[in-house]
Amino acid sequence: MPKPVSTRRFSRKVPVLLGVLAASALFSVAGRAGPPNVRGKIAGHEKLIPEIYAETAKPEAKRWTWREPSPSVPTQYRTLSANPSRDICIAATTGANQEKQEFRMTVTGGRVFPTTIVVTPNTHLVFKNFDPFPHRIYAVGQPAFKPENLAANGTRDWAAPGPGKYEIRDELFPSVRTYIVVDPQVVAVTYPGRDGAFGFSLPGGEYVLKAFFNGKQVGKPVNFNAKDKGVVDLKQALDVSTGAETDAK
């Protein structure tokens, strides 16, 4: 069975409860179970706008009716911006190739959770439809994963053939979109809470921290050392507002 999204570290042998993607949800490719031993925070995420929002806002799209904002609503809540807990993927990478795994992707409410994920080559992603109606998801430019009905409560699985960036869409619902970044050296990923805080539970060693949004790397990579004992607090917040227009490496 694939690993479902959870609010705690995945274990290879212990099943976890499937839920809506939440703050600090971890997809574990390798590592250890337990509380986070590496903690950090992102900054600038309020400046990131998901591509689907930007496309919908265009007049020619005719997919949204924009209303005058209410003066009673604070300015910071009038702009559609990224939801860190589903849109910003924080990946811990190392110098060695990692094993493949299986993960469950949740399709519900006209969205897919998460909207960006970093995995190892040949990792199987199982798309589970929790809506009471069908979807027709497909991988852009990948004939092997062409549009087919994904029935209510049904599943479809797909594995990226190799390193790179891949895009999953839905013929029926344009808002269903997710990006899969394939990196052979990713150890684990996590998703920050709305306050930008995130955590990892990692074996001791040297790692490089990378952030991804809309399938692209954002911010500058951060080198850090995890400890077998004790907690490492990354002193400087990772600014994810920079580099959003460049392709992920």
Side-chain angles (χ1 to χ4, degrees):
M1 290 292 293
K3 304 288 192 304
V5 176
S6 168
T7 55
R8 66 179 184 177
R9 183 76 178 176
F10 280 121
S11 168
R12 292 174 183 269
K13 298 181 180 180
V14 180
V16 292
L17 179 67
L18 173 68
V20 175
L21 186 66
S24 297
L26 295 181
F27 295 84
S28 171
V29 178
R32 67 184 193 182
N37 62 338
V38 177
R39 298 182 301 200
K41 196 168 186 177
I42 62 172
H45 50 280
E46 68 281 355
K47 299 179 182 179
L48 298 178
I49 301 177
E51 287 183 354
I52 190 64
Y53 290 172
E55 292 176 5
T56 303
K58 295 178 180 179
E60 60 269 24
K62 297 181 180 180
R63 284 163 41 195
W64 190 271
T65 299
W66 297 101
R67 297 176 295 179
E68 281 294 321
S70 171
S72 63
V73 177
T75 303
Q76 66 267 32
Y77 299 123
R78 298 181 190 176
T79 302
L80 292 175
S81 58
N83 180 342
S85 64
R86 72 183 179 202
D87 297 328
I88 301 175
C89 180
I90 310 297
T93 64
T94 187
N97 290 349
Q98 304 297 309
E99 298 178 6
K100 67 178 182 179
Q101 286 257 323
E102 288 190 358
F103 299 117
R104 183 178 294 166
M105 309 290 283
T106 301
V107 181
T108 185
R111 298 296 299 274
V112 59
F113 299 86
T115 60
T116 290
I117 185 172
V118 184
V119 300
T120 52
N122 299 315
T123 286
H124 277 78
L125 301 174
V126 180
F127 293 83
K128 173 80 172 183
N129 181 12
F130 285 89
D131 286 329
F133 44 80
H135 290 271
R136 286 182 60 83
I137 61 173
Y138 64 99
V140 177
Q142 300 294 316
F145 196 66
K146 61 184 180 181
E148 291 182 4
N149 279 342
L150 176 58
N153 205 39
T155 61
R156 285 191 69 189
D157 69 295
W158 176 76
K165 183 182 76 173
Y166 303 87
E167 183 178 353
I168 303 295
R169 293 198 180 198
D170 185 349
E171 275 192 336
L172 303 178
F173 299 89
S175 59
V176 174
R177 185 179 306 180
T178 189
Y179 299 93
I180 295 94
V181 179
V182 180
D183 184 339
Q185 299 178 342
V186 61
V187 177
V189 302
T190 188
Y191 294 83
R194 288 186 177 272
D195 63 351
F198 63 86
F200 283 99
S201 182
L202 297 168
E206 297 181 357
Y207 297 89
V208 178
L209 191 72
K210 301 176 182 179
F212 294 84
F213 170 71
N214 277 342
K216 302 172 183 178
Q217 188 173 331
V218 292
K220 296 181 179 180
V222 176
N223 295 288
F224 69 94
N225 292 324
K227 300 178 181 179
D228 287 323
K229 295 183 179 180
V231 177
V232 174
D233 287 303
L234 303 178
K235 297 180 179 180
Q236 188 170 358
L238 175 59
D239 185 359
V240 298
S241 65
T242 60
E245 299 304 320
T246 61
D247 289 337
K249 302 297 182 181

